[in-house]
Amino acid sequence: VAHYLAHRHQREVQVIAALEAHIDRVDAIADRIYTGLTPQLGPLARESVLAHLVKLEHDGFARREGDRWALLT
């Protein structure tokens, strides 16, 4: 379980770094984080990124405007 939680935290850090770099769409964030995926795994990667973004929004660290995301300062 600890390994899974550490991996999820690492992905959250990657999502935050993408937002800090002004990469603001789910598909672009997924492309940055999940390099080398087969096309069949792309939808799963985007769902994972979206889950992280929704968590960040719920925790008060990000906001959504249409299909774009941003960190709250």
Side-chain angles (χ1 to χ4, degrees):
V1 171
H3 175 73
Y4 173 78
L5 293 175
H7 178 72
R8 298 283 21 109
H9 176 72
Q10 177 189 12
R11 287 291 189 215
E12 184 172 295
V13 168
Q14 291 174 313
V15 169
I16 291 168
L19 292 173
E20 288 173 336
H22 304 287
I23 300 170
D24 60 358
R25 293 178 187 242
V26 170
D27 58 344
I29 296 169
D31 288 345
R32 176 182 169 133
I33 294 173
Y34 294 95
T35 58
L37 286 183
T38 63
Q40 296 86 351
L41 294 177
L44 295 173
R46 289 187 293 276
E47 286 295 318
S48 179
V49 167
L50 181 59
H52 282 288
L53 290 166
V54 168
K55 178 196 177 289
L56 290 169
E57 181 180 45
H58 180 265
D59 292 347
F61 295 111
R63 65 175 159 70
R64 163 183 10 200
E65 292 183 14
D67 64 347
R68 295 178 181 267
W69 290 83
L71 288 175
L72 295 175
T73 54

